[in-house]
Amino acid sequence: MKIMLNDAPYEFAGETLEDLIIELDKSQQGIAIALNQQVVPRSLWCSTGLDEQSLVFIFESIAGG
Amino acid sequence: MSSLLIAGHEFRSRLFTGTGKYASANAMMDSITASESELVTLSLRRMDLKHQTDNILQPLQKKGMKLLPNTSGARTAKEAIFAAELAREALETNWVKLEIHPDPRYLMPDGMETLLAAEALIKKGFVVMPYVHADPVLCKRLEEIGCQCVMPLGSPIGSNMGLASRPFLEIIIEQSRVPVIVDAGIGAPSDAALAMEIGADAVLVNTAMAVANQPSKMANAFRLAVEAGRMAYESGLGERRIQAQATSPLTDFIGALS
């Protein structure tokens, strides 16, 4: 399915937010996900399904003052 | 030197540090180690999906640092609340450095939006540390709604202009019942020492350490300055006066020669 990921179309083979993070091969540490403008708690990533209308933003912690 | 308590967390070091602007993660870690700081700030941004970013989180966590995510990039209360909620998930902490600056040129904090966001975040259970102008009225209002400390600026972020706001910082410190952490603009160890001497509870330093030719040496200088300033404050500084007051007793032995 095609979702919107960080403002760009993304072809996604999995089902849940957890699948997406695994597919992207990103560390699960220090990141947060918003689905349709709502922050999704880490504990719900494995049970939160995505569909064609999903707007996903993934954020990461970086250096800052 | 007495320790500092914020929201039940005890800090032995009164020097807080930022993690931005370092040439490398190693330089950052060396500098933080030399500073003996126990709290560091971090930011959040949209993940770069194409590149792997330097993992700075792991060494900081391994060192046992208290992580303070900021809401940098937020221009309104609504954006800051969203950023704080993301940060809580990303870093598993309910502490947040609330900063809202709509104008990227001077990065002046928006006091009205900050007060609104602070109120909402406190209701959501956050420990809110607001970065604000050295505005005694605003700082009092933030204290009254439940902020655990206030973080007034010395001068604009990254400007190295020191305590341009000194007279107002002194009012804030005198009035405040929550810790006052002087943030932004501290360009030299002497600025940090002065902030501590006038009674600030802590200072937050980033740019001055990160952009030094030898960051860890500068971090050590800041550590010494903060300790010296705090010790001087705790010892009780003498009053300033215009007239001289003799340090040696004025005896009349010279008069005995005539």
Side-chain angles (χ1 to χ4, degrees), chain B residues 96-151:
Chain B
V96 64
K97 178 184 165 189
L98 177 61
E99 50 180 305
I100 304 176
H101 21 72
D103 161 35
R105 187 167 176 218
Y106 293 109
L107 295 173
M108 291 285 106
D110 185 323
M112 282 178 283
E113 293 292 310
T114 303
L115 187 64
L116 288 171
E119 208 158 18
L121 288 169
I122 288 162
K123 280 187 190 140
K124 287 173 185 276
F126 282 87
V127 171
V128 177
M129 302 173 68
Y131 166 65
V132 288
H133 278 286
D135 176 344
V137 177
L138 178 60
C139 285
K140 207 66 198 161
R141 294 282 298 274
L142 288 162
E143 174 190 312
E144 283 163 4
I145 63 163
C147 287
Q148 302 276 5
C149 68
V150 287
M151 303 179 81

Side-chain angles (χ1 to χ4, degrees), chain B residues 161-184:
Chain B
M161 293 213 297
L163 305 189
S165 59
R166 178 178 173 173
F168 306 101
L169 290 172
E170 287 182 296
I171 297 171
I172 293 166
I173 290 163
E174 196 260 317
Q175 288 185 341
S176 190
R177 280 173 300 177
V178 292
V180 177
I181 300 156
V182 177
D183 185 7

Side-chain angles (χ1 to χ4, degrees), chain A residues 1 10 34:
Chain A
M1 77 182 108
Y10 180 81

Side-chain angles (χ1 to χ4, degrees), chain A residues 7 42 58 60 62 64-65, chain B residues 19 43 45-47 70 89:
Chain A
D7 262 346
R42 194 171 285 268
I58 307 179
E60 63 186 343
I62 56 157
Chain B
T19 55
S43 302
R45 70 161 180 206
R46 283 186 196 178
M47 184 181 266
N70 67 32
E89 280 305 314

